[in-house]
Amino acid sequence: MIVPIRCFTCGSLIADKWEPFITRVSAGEDPGKVLDDLGVRRYCCRRMLISHVDIIKEVINYTRPI
């Protein structure tokens, strides 16, 4: 849903890398090379970005008004 701020395993900051990552991968670059360029070396952090599914725009339609 929302990009996690920190890696669940090691606690490293990853949210600041989401926008450059998704922009470059959408442009056709290899995700592994993009993560290397962004300085994401640990495999736990890499899986946080690679496996994230951004569905907040779909879920927000089903929330109840307060």
Side-chain angles (χ1 to χ4, degrees):
M1 297 227 331
I2 300 173
V3 181
I5 303 297
R6 296 192 175 270
C7 174
F8 295 151
T9 305
C10 70
S12 180
L13 185 65
I14 60 168
D16 63 333
K17 296 166 182 67
W18 174 252
E19 286 298 325
F21 173 74
I22 200 67
T23 302
R24 290 175 63 182
V25 170
S26 296
E29 289 189 53
D30 178 48
K33 180 158 177 17
V34 173
L35 291 171
D36 289 340
D37 291 345
L38 292 174
V40 181
R41 304 276 184 249
R42 294 183 180 141
Y43 63 89
C44 59
C45 299
R46 293 170 80 92
R47 64 131 176 140
M48 293 290 292
L49 292 171
I50 289 175
S51 65
H52 178 72
V53 178
D54 199 21
I55 59 169
I56 189 66
K57 291 181 179 144
E58 296 172 18
V59 173
I60 205 160
N61 293 330
Y62 298 106
T63 60
R64 286 189 258 160
I66 298 175

